[in-house]
């Protein structure tokens, strides 16, 4: 049987899995194993015991409201599980096309790796899924969790800008958002230094705007942050970048 090499990706957002994927040779026992775990559990994760980003993903799943997670650690022996290669090969071919851990499923839906799982929380969709799964006792508890997700989205995004990066929450038809993007482009800011999200359809949308009003006095997009601080307005962005878009 083909071997599976597990590699820790230090400094990255995953642990690498190395094997020769073979989508022409799907093991039926592996298929049954994965599909049963997906259907029997609200959350199913392909993981590794030493994978720190698997742990971080579980933290965000807990914030969503999922208190129980089934983790299929590939470096552990689990009773009844088919060959490890066959399991990850099935998930790779059928769902993820990822050779890394974690790989997260919520209510049978493939979400992605750590960054995708975190984003699923930030948008509020993960909280909504948990609410639909009966993880909140009433609607107001769910709405409080949405508010918390919105605030943490902003606060953690601002924190990630330390070191000279930008965080932008935009909307697709927002004139001031267009102007902010033009400013960043005019200043030749690398895309690698910009974390940008269009929040039109986020379930956290309204709470993000309310939180922006608390922080800046205005609820309107874009929300802009640079180097660990929220920028109050476009003038602050011009000052931070030196752009010529006023």
């Amino acid at each position: 049987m083909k071997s599976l090499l597990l590699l820790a990706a230090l400094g990255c957002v995953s642990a690498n899995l190395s094997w020769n994927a073979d989508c022409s040779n799907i093991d039926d026992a592996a298929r049954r194993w994965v599909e049963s775990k997906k259907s029997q559990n609200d959350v199913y994760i392909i993981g590794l015991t030493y994978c720190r980003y698997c742990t971080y993903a579980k933290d965000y799943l807990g914030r969503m409201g999922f208190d129980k997670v089934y983790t299929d650690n590939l470096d552990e022996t689990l009773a009844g599980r088919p060959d490890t290669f066959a399991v990850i090969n099935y998930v790779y071919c059928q769902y993820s096309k990822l050779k890394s851990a974690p790989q997260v499923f919520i209510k049978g839906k493939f979400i992605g790796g750590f960054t995708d799982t975190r984003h699923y929380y930030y948008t509020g969709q993960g909280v909504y899924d948990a609410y639909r799964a009966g993880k909140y006792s009433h609607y107001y508890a769910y709405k409080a969790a949405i508010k918390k997700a919105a605030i943490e989205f902003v606060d953690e995004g601002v924190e990630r800008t330390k070191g000279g990066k930008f965080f932008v929450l935009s909307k697709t038809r927002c004139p001031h958002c267009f102007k902010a993007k033009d400013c960043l482009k005019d200043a030749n800011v690398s895309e690698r230094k910009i974390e940008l999200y269009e929040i039109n359809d986020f379930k956290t949308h309204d709470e993000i705007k309310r939180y922006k009003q608390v922080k800046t006095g205005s609820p309107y997009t874009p929300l802009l942050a640079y180097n660990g601080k929220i920028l109050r307005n476009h003038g602050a962005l011009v000052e931070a970048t030196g752009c010529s878009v006023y």
Side-chain angles (χ1 to χ4, degrees):
M1 181 59 68
K2 299 174 183 177
S3 62
L4 176 67
L5 181 61
L6 311 178
L7 301 171
L10 300 177
C12 300
V13 295
S14 64
N16 289 339
L17 307 171
S18 180
W19 83 98
N20 293 321
D22 185 0
C23 295
S24 66
N25 184 27
I26 300 298
D27 184 89
D28 193 57
R31 179 191 63 78
R32 292 195 303 271
W33 170 269
V34 171
E35 295 302 328
S36 69
K37 298 306 177 188
K38 282 174 52 203
S39 64
Q40 293 168 9
N41 299 278
D42 290 326
V43 180
Y44 171 57
I45 298 179
I46 297 288
L48 298 162
T49 57
Y50 59 81
C51 165
R52 59 178 172 147
Y53 282 95
C54 298
T55 302
Y56 297 163
K58 291 177 187 177
D59 174 63
Y60 281 97
L61 290 162
R63 298 191 208 183
M64 292 177 201
F66 292 107
D67 53 348
K68 294 182 180 179
V69 173
Y70 185 91
T71 306
D72 209 343
N73 284 324
L74 300 178
D75 56 332
E76 286 185 320
T77 300
L78 296 179
R81 184 177 64 190
D83 177 76
T84 299
F85 164 79
V87 169
I88 190 59
N89 191 66
Y90 172 72
V91 173
Y92 172 86
C93 294
Q94 187 67 22
Y95 296 107
S96 73
K97 295 300 186 288
L98 295 178
K99 289 191 173 185
S100 59
Q103 298 189 26
V104 178
F105 294 83
I106 297 177
K107 302 299 292 181
K109 176 184 176 182
F110 179 67
I111 303 302
F114 162 71
T115 303
D116 303 303
T117 302
R118 182 180 68 185
H119 184 65
Y120 205 63
Y121 170 65
Y122 287 159
T123 66
Q125 187 61 50
V127 175
Y128 179 73
D129 286 355
Y131 174 60
R132 291 291 301 271
K135 303 302 180 181
Y136 291 94
S137 57
H138 50 78
Y139 178 73
Y140 295 105
Y142 157 67
K143 292 298 288 183
I146 287 288
K147 180 177 180 179
K148 182 172 181 285
I151 291 172
E152 291 181 348
F153 183 18
V154 173
D155 287 349
E156 293 177 10
V158 173
E159 182 69 17
R160 288 193 295 273
T161 66
K162 289 182 177 178
K165 296 181 180 179
F166 291 87
F167 179 70
V168 181
L169 299 184
S170 173
K171 294 180 72 174
T172 53
R173 296 184 179 182
C174 157
H176 293 292
C177 301
F178 295 148
K179 189 161 75 167
K181 294 172 194 174
D182 287 343
C183 176
L184 292 168
K185 185 176 180 180
D186 179 74
N188 293 315
V189 177
S190 169
E191 290 184 1
R192 291 176 296 181
K193 289 189 174 183
I194 303 171
E195 190 175 345
L196 169 68
Y197 301 96
E198 306 289 355
I199 67 169
N200 299 59
D201 299 325
F202 287 12
K203 294 188 181 299
T204 47
H205 170 276
D206 292 350
E207 292 296 345
I208 289 170
K209 292 182 68 176
R210 291 188 184 101
Y211 192 49
K212 181 180 183 291
Q213 184 165 29
V214 170
K215 289 293 189 178
T216 69
S218 169
Y220 301 112
T221 50
L223 184 151
L224 305 165
Y226 170 67
N227 207 24
K229 294 182 180 180
I230 291 179
L231 301 179
R232 188 171 183 84
N233 51 36
H234 186 77
L237 179 64
V238 171
E239 183 177 347
T241 61
C243 80
S244 59
V245 179
Y246 298 95

